[in-house]
Amino acid sequence: MEPGALRSREWTGNPSPRYWWHRLPGMDFVPAVYSDLSADEWAIVREWYAATDLSCSIGEAAVPLLSTLHGFILGSHAARIVQLGTHAGYSTLLLGFALRRMNAQRGLFTLDIDTTMCSVARSWVQRAGLGNFVNVAHGNSVDPASVNAAWEYLGGTPELIILDSSHEYGATLIELDLWFEALAPGGLMVIHDVSKFAQTFDVTGQGGVRRAFDEWRVANRGAETFLLNGETRSMDLPRPLYKDACGLGLIHKPGA
Ligand SMILES: C[S@@+](CC[C@H](N)C(=O)[O-])C[C@H]1O[C@@H](n2cnc3c(N)ncnc32)[C@H](O)[C@@H]1O
């Protein structure tokens, strides 16, 4: 068998916490977000996992969120995407591969406040040959200047905004206001870590993304909002249909 031929099935028995999805009952198959990749693209993802396992740079989203995004992007040709929170570049690579599949150049503006993480992610973008599709920017997601930088790179109003940054209640409230305003009518915000379980990620201890999402949706009744797997308090089984215990919030901006 060729190296890597099993693709993500090689992780089915991997006990590390980051491979949790691959250990769930019934998940011994290769999800579309990986099976859709060319052999060279899959080799990059595999190398990325090996390198970040070694450096312990673990903080990426997992298969349920990336599969949801993959469906929106390829199914609806989302070609102006903002991501708040790049980390080591996992979602950046997978979103970049989807954009390259559609030949949607300058399609992803991804932001991080951490210069080291920006450098790491940029090196992977370069290795993957995604320089025409992705810009890894250094900046703060609560700064209005970041909205202008995104607009300039994308050449228009973002139609898909992914929020996966500090997980802090106060900063998330600011992000929701700032980036909902920046979103195109008919566009979608996808918010990671909205569950009760993920409230523990808020280092300020003020209730995390979930509290911000709950308050924001009460104050913005004109927006259509939805919360998936929001009540989960642990990684234990059983899980609802949407398997990520971190939960997923959706905000749709009406108008188009
Ligand atoms: C959970 S990780 C992002 C994971 C990434 N979306 C993925 O799936 O590969 C969160 C990242 O947000 C960054 N971050 C935190 N606060 C931020 C802010 N105010 N502005 C921009 N980035 C921020 C952190 O430095 C960290 O790298």
Side-chain angles (χ1 to χ4, degrees), residues 59-61 83 85-87 89-92 111-114 117 139-142 164-167 175:
E60 72 282 356
Q83 175 174 243
T86 309
H87 203 251
Y90 168 76
S91 51
T92 300
L111 189 73
D112 207 288
I113 201 165
D114 183 325
M117 283 298 134
N140 191 334
S141 55
V142 302
D164 188 17
S165 52
S166 69
H167 311 121
E175 288 174 320

Side-chain angles (χ1 to χ4, degrees), residues 53-128:
D53 268 340
L54 269 180
S55 63
C56 296
S57 300
I58 298 170
E60 72 282 356
V63 172
L65 175 59
L66 267 299
S67 300
T68 303
L69 294 169
H70 194 247
F72 276 124
I73 294 166
L74 290 164
S76 295
H77 199 275
R80 290 193 306 279
I81 306 170
V82 170
Q83 175 174 243
L84 309 176
T86 309
H87 203 251
Y90 168 76
S91 51
T92 300
L93 287 171
L94 291 177
L95 300 177
F97 293 144
L99 289 164
R100 181 160 66 189
R101 168 67 63 95
M102 305 189 303
N103 195 26
Q105 300 203 4
R106 297 175 77 90
L108 172 64
F109 177 89
T110 180
L111 189 73
D112 207 288
I113 201 165
D114 183 325
T115 48
T116 305
M117 283 298 134
C118 289
S119 303
V120 171
R122 281 189 195 118
S123 72
W124 285 101
V125 165
Q126 192 182 11
R127 245 170 112 169

